[in-house]
Amino acid sequence: TRDDDNDEETSSMDYNMNFRRTFAKPKQELTFDATHSSSLSDVTHFYSERDYTLQYESKNTTPFKQTLFTPGSNDITTIQCDYVQPIKKMFKLEAGAKSIARSIDNKYISQLFDYGTEKYTTDKTVSNDFKYNENIYAAYTTLAGGYRGFGFLLGLRAEQANTKSILVTTGKEYEKKYSNFFPSCHFTQKMKGNQEIQLSYSRRVNRPNTRALNPFRENSDPFNVRYGNPYLDPEYIFAHEINYLKYFKKATLSATVYYRKTTGVIQRIKTIGDSTISYLTFVNLNSSKQYGVEIISKNDLTKWLNTMLSVNLFQTVIDGSN
């Protein structure tokens, strides 16, 4: 039996600076935004553990006691500049650049209770300090327009990402640098009878979080050990969608057929070390394919009550042959 009493304290602060410049030409504007977010968290776990026989007879004269401190900080700074240029009455060109800098520091300090000295002492074999820095630089542009019920939006985003993680406890460093292009296109056609058809394609990215990257073995539960994989790559999603919309007086019906392919799927993998201990970590699988149909109905029953009903039927196929 393992009892866990824990205490958590968190705090955060956000800073924002925004600038907007308009011009004589309608809808032409320049914007600049800068934000900084800082958050601190401090979680303390107090563990007490006893071993028993199958007859529930205690094997310990005194319980095993452990205190686990997990203080952490997360700082992120975002700077973004966007420009909008209307072209005649039917088109609009947008362009911008964005920079994101993230710094994360997660500590894991374990202390064991010594009954001889009646004091807690730090267990350096399971204590660690993990630092993660991420810098993303992006430039993007979109062209939007429409004519007689037909609308379109074409976009392209170029991105450079640099990441560096340090396991301070062992002195190991892990670095990754990668660049990518993310195209997107959306088309809309309005039809008679308050109907609309939408067609879209986009390429997106999903990056692993720091818990999935930290290679130090977290054994707050000694029978289920968890550790991250600092060599994880991001996963990339290719999304295709066809959407049909029907507008009624007090309701909206949406039916979407979609297909999404993901490469480098981030997946949790659990292995058994022996008969009592399991190990959980993260890997990149080859790919996954998902296709399905989603139907959503929104109904305004009264002025103060509306309902949203949805059903999503899908199939997912994962290729983990690697």
Side-chain angles (χ1 to χ4, degrees):
T1 63
R2 186 173 176 86
D3 297 323
D4 174 18
D5 293 326
N6 61 76
D7 179 50
E8 180 175 355
E9 294 182 7
T10 60
S11 62
S12 62
M13 184 70 72
D14 297 325
Y15 307 88
N16 298 277
M17 183 175 68
N18 312 95
F19 170 82
R20 180 170 176 262
R21 170 79 162 87
T22 58
F23 301 87
K25 192 173 185 178
K27 297 184 179 180
Q28 180 186 7
E29 67 176 30
L30 175 70
T31 58
F32 175 85
D33 301 281
T35 64
H36 177 78
S37 298
S38 178
S39 62
L40 298 173
S41 64
D42 193 353
V43 184
T44 303
H45 295 267
F46 303 94
Y47 295 108
S48 179
E49 181 180 305
R50 282 183 179 273
D51 293 331
Y52 294 87
T53 65
L54 292 179
Q55 290 74 32
Y56 206 68
E57 297 173 352
S58 178
K59 293 182 178 181
N60 310 74
T61 56
T62 56
F64 167 79
K65 292 184 178 182
Q66 179 188 21
T67 301
L68 187 62
F69 303 96
T70 56
S73 64
N74 187 346
D75 292 276
I76 179 169
T77 301
T78 303
I79 300 174
Q80 182 172 351
C81 184
D82 294 284
Y83 176 73
V84 180
Q85 174 66 54
I87 305 174
K88 296 184 178 180
K89 293 184 178 180
M90 296 184 297
F91 302 101
K92 181 174 66 173
L93 179 67
E94 297 185 38
K98 188 175 185 179
S99 170
I100 303 174
R102 185 193 303 269
S103 176
I104 298 174
D105 186 1
N106 289 330
K107 292 183 174 62
Y108 185 91
I109 304 169
S110 173
Q111 292 186 340
L112 305 180
F113 186 74
D114 186 342
Y115 283 94
T117 61
E118 294 290 323
K119 294 181 179 180
Y120 280 94
T121 57
T122 301
D123 183 4
K124 295 182 179 180
T125 60
V126 296
S127 299
N128 81 97
D129 184 359
F130 183 71
K131 299 180 185 293
Y132 178 77
N133 293 284
E134 179 182 80
N135 293 280
I136 300 172
Y137 309 98
Y140 45 87
T141 182
T142 61
L143 177 65
Y147 182 70
R148 291 187 176 180
F150 173 77
F152 71 90
L153 177 69
L154 305 176
L156 180 64
R157 171 187 171 98
E159 181 182 282
Q160 172 68 38
N162 304 324
T163 66
K164 182 178 181 179
S165 55
I166 304 172
L167 190 57
V168 179
T169 313
T170 61
K172 288 187 177 181
E173 297 185 4
Y174 310 87
E175 286 191 72
K176 276 188 176 292
K177 297 182 179 180
Y178 49 91
S179 56
N180 282 285
F181 291 92
F182 299 96
S184 62
C185 57
H186 305 269
F187 302 98
T188 301
Q189 178 63 60
K190 295 182 179 179
M191 300 179 295
K192 295 180 180 179
N194 293 324
Q195 300 179 91
E196 189 174 311
I197 290 182
Q198 301 172 345
L199 177 66
S200 68
Y201 164 81
S202 64
R203 182 174 186 257
R204 301 190 291 268
V205 61
N206 182 30
R207 296 181 180 84
N209 58 41
T210 54
R211 291 197 67 190
L213 293 169
N214 189 345
F216 203 90
R217 297 194 172 189
E218 179 184 317
N219 60 350
S220 56
D221 179 353
F223 298 103
N224 295 279
V225 179
R226 181 188 182 282
Y227 60 96
N229 177 7
Y231 299 104
L232 275 180
D233 292 319
E235 56 183 21
Y236 297 95
I237 302 101
F238 303 82
H240 309 72
E241 291 187 2
I242 300 177
N243 187 27
Y244 167 78
L245 289 167
K246 172 66 175 178
Y247 300 97
F248 300 93
K249 187 176 181 179
K250 292 187 177 182
T252 303
L253 178 66
S254 169
T256 303
V257 178
Y258 60 88
Y259 169 77
R260 302 185 185 113
K261 180 179 179 180
T262 304
T263 59
V265 181
I266 298 174
Q267 182 71 43
R268 293 182 299 176
I269 296 293
K270 180 177 283 190
T271 57
I272 305 300
D274 54 32
S275 60
T276 60
I277 302 176
S278 70
Y279 298 92
L280 187 146
T281 189
F282 300 82
V283 299
N284 289 108
L285 299 182
N286 279 341
S287 63
S288 72
K289 297 178 181 179
Q290 185 180 83
Y291 46 90
V293 178
E294 183 175 36
I295 300 174
I296 300 175
S297 174
K298 182 181 178 183
N299 305 276
D300 296 325
L301 301 181
T302 67
K303 291 182 178 180
W304 55 271
L305 177 65
N306 61 57
T307 63
M308 179 89 69
L309 305 176
S310 67
V311 58
N312 187 10
L313 179 65
F314 64 92
Q315 172 79 20
T316 301
V317 179
I318 297 177
D319 176 10
S321 58
N322 61 322

